[in-house]
Amino acid sequence: MDAETGPAAPQDQWKSYCRTISLLAFQSFGVVYGDLSTSPLYVYKSAFSGRLNNYRDETTIFGLFSLIFWTLTLLPLLKYVIIVLNADDNGEGGTFALYSLLCRHAKFSLLPNQQSADEELSTYYQPGVGGIISSPLKRFLEKHRKLRTCLLLFVLFGACMVIGDGVFTPAISVLSAISGLKDPGPGGIPDGWVVFIACIVLVGLFALQHRGTHRVAFMFAPIVVVWLLSIGVIGLYNIIHWNHRIFLALSPHYVIKFFKMTGKDGWLSLGGVLLAITGTEAMFADLGHFTAASIRLAFVGAIYPCLVLQYMGQAAFLSRNMSAVEDSFYQSVPRSLFWPVFVIATLAAVVGSQSIISATFSIVKQCLSLGCFPRVKVVHTSRWIHGQIYIPEINWILMVLCLAVTLGFRDTTVIGNAYGLACIVVMFVTTWLMALVIIFVWQKNILLALLFVVAFGSIEVVYLSAAVTKVPQGGWAPIVFAFVFMLVMYVWHYGSRR
């Protein structure tokens, strides 16, 4: 009997594992990827909102698409999906998880709470990582308290920017989708009503959060799947119908041509291009809600190909209809499909807000565990997955701030400026923390860490420099939010130490 059942056991375990991963990948559509998948609603409009509007020709459109394609490939796919998702702290992700991981492997923490059991547990979850090797760099950082304080402030700033994302993501996603109501011409509604409807939708979204990640994911995941299939098919239709030569723009040569022709104006437009990868950090921050394998499966299997097809299709449409830049997504949708796509887009925009709200809950929980946040009620919403949580106080604070941003700015371009700056700052913080993880946790050569920083940090610095120019046009908002949250967190941390 044992001989018959023995070989079948690993096969059954493998089938069970595959079913679990597939189920979590399906759920991740509704929580992790809503934001990333709704970016096509506003990317081209934001990119052309500045002086790039003076370059309305095919070469510019091709170059812009090539820029979006390579940005999607290098940052979300290569940096996050292939590399960063491996750096979880016992299943948790995000900037604070990286900091916690570093504190387990070196004495970087300012709180005297490092336990040997934690060290062993972290090593257990990192196959192949043995004893901790002391290096001159490690001893130098451990010796200087000011450097450790700077590291904590750096991490706090990144974490506060993620919380800022939780304010701007729902505002820009929902407002962009609802703005489609202005499209049909004489039947369109005034801007005031668009903002009012968006606020009602946002209140409903935050009211749903108490149901928990598991239930919300099952409600939202089918919407994102339908949305992805829709934008993928519409993108393919636009490529065939308008300009199949857009495939040539997959070559990075068009990026070089784009910058040669547009110069400084092209660099300033990067603040809009950046919106194509907003929501990327949520993949890592939401790791505690799912697993790395399920997030990878969903991204490579559906998110990446559908987004590439949609951006390519929009570019093909714009290359023949440059006057439609202000509302390129809805204009590129065949008229007979406008209302079904509008309904799906609105629902997908609501879902898009879910990823960063869940990520904010995870970040706050990690801050609590490290003594860096005032005590709030953490509700575990799943019996099986430890990381699926809901924090009532944070939920309602986010809702109030989100409504204030929507009513205050009332413009997706201005909100996009704030949103893009917040996202690229978080990515930049993650890059530097990952370099430290490569050295101290993975115990790789310092040259490998430098290669990681140069490869991805150089791209992010270019985007960051363009996003900083938008500070007067709304970019100041995430900086203000971050400093307020950081002040609260650092004061609490200081009090805890005392």
Side-chain angles (χ1 to χ4, degrees):
M1 188 69 178
D2 290 341
E4 291 175 5
T5 57
Q11 189 176 2
D12 290 341
Q13 288 176 358
W14 174 249
K15 286 180 180 178
S16 175
Y17 173 77
C18 289
R19 278 197 300 269
T20 303
I21 292 299
S22 300
L23 181 63
L24 287 173
F26 175 72
Q27 289 184 25
S28 72
F29 284 116
V31 173
V32 178
Y33 291 117
D35 181 16
L36 200 57
S37 67
T38 53
S39 295
L41 285 167
Y42 44 77
V43 168
Y44 283 105
K45 177 189 174 183
S46 297
F48 277 99
S49 63
R51 283 185 284 183
L52 194 67
N53 210 20
N54 299 324
Y55 302 86
R56 296 197 175 196
D57 55 64
E58 185 179 279
T59 306
T60 305
I61 292 294
F62 276 38
L64 199 58
F65 164 68
S66 188
L67 199 55
I68 292 170
F69 170 74
W70 285 104
T71 304
L72 267 174
T73 302
L74 292 173
L75 293 179
L77 180 62
L78 183 58
K79 177 188 168 184
Y80 278 88
V81 171
I82 295 177
I83 301 173
V84 175
L85 285 180
N86 294 309
D88 65 290
D89 180 41
N90 298 334
E92 292 286 343
T95 51
F96 248 100
L98 293 177
Y99 179 69
S100 174
L101 192 60
L102 286 167
C103 290
R104 290 177 190 274
H105 286 75
K107 295 175 183 177
F108 293 159
S109 177
L110 295 175
L111 281 178
N113 60 354
Q114 193 178 36
Q115 302 292 329
S116 59
D118 290 340
E119 185 82 48
E120 291 166 9
L121 185 64
S122 184
T123 304
Y124 176 77
Y125 276 98
Q126 297 284 336
V129 178
I132 307 304
I133 299 171
S134 182
S135 67
L137 178 61
K138 181 184 170 187
R139 288 195 298 270
F140 178 76
L141 290 172
E142 289 177 344
K143 184 180 177 181
H144 292 81
R145 187 181 182 86
K146 288 183 179 178
L147 288 176
R148 289 186 286 136
T149 303
C150 288
L151 178 63
L152 176 63
L153 290 172
F154 186 62
V155 173
L156 285 178
F157 188 66
C160 291
M161 280 293 187
V162 175
I163 297 172
D165 282 352
V167 175
F168 298 111
T169 304
I172 191 171
S173 298
V174 173
L175 203 54
S176 295
I178 302 295
S179 65
L181 288 174
K182 296 187 291 186
D183 180 69
I189 63 175
D191 286 349
W193 278 101
V194 169
V195 174
F196 177 70
I197 295 170
C199 288
I200 292 174
V201 172
L202 287 168
V203 170
L205 169 69
F206 283 100
L208 275 175
Q209 295 304 312
H210 74 280
R211 298 184 66 85
T213 306
H214 180 73
R215 292 188 181 89
V216 169
F218 267 114
M219 284 191 292
F220 285 173
I223 295 169
V224 176
V225 171
V226 172
W227 166 250
L228 285 168
L229 292 174
S230 301
I231 63 174
V233 170
I234 290 169
L236 190 59
Y237 165 79
N238 284 327
I239 293 166
I240 297 168
H241 183 71
W242 293 107
N243 191 352
H244 62 271
R245 290 182 61 253
I246 190 65
F247 280 104
L248 297 173
L250 293 173
S251 166
H253 173 66
Y254 278 87
V255 175
I256 299 168
K257 287 177 69 176
F258 173 79
F259 284 115
K260 276 185 178 179
M261 189 173 72
T262 59
K264 184 181 177 182
D265 297 336
W267 166 68
L268 290 171
S269 73
L270 291 178
V273 176
L274 174 61
L275 297 178
I277 56 170
T278 51
T280 300
E281 185 68 28
M283 282 195 291
F284 186 41
D286 279 328
L287 193 56
H289 293 253
F290 301 97
T291 64
S294 62
I295 290 174
R296 287 189 178 107
L297 178 63
F299 185 85
V300 176
I303 302 295
Y304 182 74
C306 288
L307 284 179
V308 169
L309 280 174
Q310 170 55 213
Y311 285 120
M312 191 184 292
Q314 262 194 76
F317 170 78
L318 283 174
S319 67
R320 296 288 188 263
N321 303 272
M322 282 304 300
S323 60
V325 162
E326 285 301 310
D327 194 18
S328 59
F329 175 78
Y330 282 115
Q331 293 286 344
S332 69
V333 175
R335 291 297 88 188
S336 58
L337 296 177
F338 173 81
W339 285 109
V341 170
F342 169 75
V343 171
I344 298 169
T346 304
L347 292 172
V350 173
V351 178
S353 311
Q354 183 62 44
S355 61
I356 203 67
I357 294 171
S358 300
T360 303
F361 292 157
S362 295
I363 289 287
V364 170
K365 177 173 171 282
Q366 290 163 17
C367 293
L368 276 169
S369 65
L370 289 173
C372 292
F373 203 87
R375 289 176 185 166
V376 289
K377 182 180 180 182
V378 178
V379 180
H380 290 268
T381 59
S382 173
R383 293 181 182 178
W384 301 278
I385 301 174
H386 179 69
Q388 295 191 355
I389 56 171
Y390 165 68
I391 304 177
E393 294 94 334
I394 298 301
N395 185 60
W396 302 124
I397 289 172
L398 285 180
M399 186 188 78
V400 170
L401 291 175
C402 187
L403 291 174
V405 165
T406 307
L407 292 168
F409 289 148
R410 304 167 68 94
D411 182 7
T412 55
T413 302
V414 179
I415 298 173
N417 293 338
Y419 184 31
L421 179 61
C423 287
I424 197 62
V425 166
V426 177
M427 289 184 182
F428 191 64
V429 169
T430 299
T431 297
W432 283 97
L433 290 176
M434 271 301 301
L436 294 177
V437 167
I438 290 169
I439 298 169
F440 299 123
V441 180
W442 294 351
Q443 297 176 17
K444 303 295 183 184
N445 194 297
I446 193 170
L447 292 176
L448 195 63
L450 287 174
L451 179 63
F452 182 86
V453 170
V454 170
F456 299 112
S458 57
I459 299 171
E460 289 160 358
V461 162
V462 175
Y463 277 108
L464 182 60
S465 64
V468 165
T469 64
K470 307 289 186 182
V471 167
Q473 293 90 40
W476 55 268
I479 297 173
V480 171
F481 285 156
F483 274 112
V484 170
F485 278 113
M486 193 167 75
L487 181 64
V488 171
M489 291 162 74
Y490 187 74
V491 168
W492 187 269
H493 185 76
Y494 180 82
S496 300
R497 289 209 321 267
R498 292 302 174 195

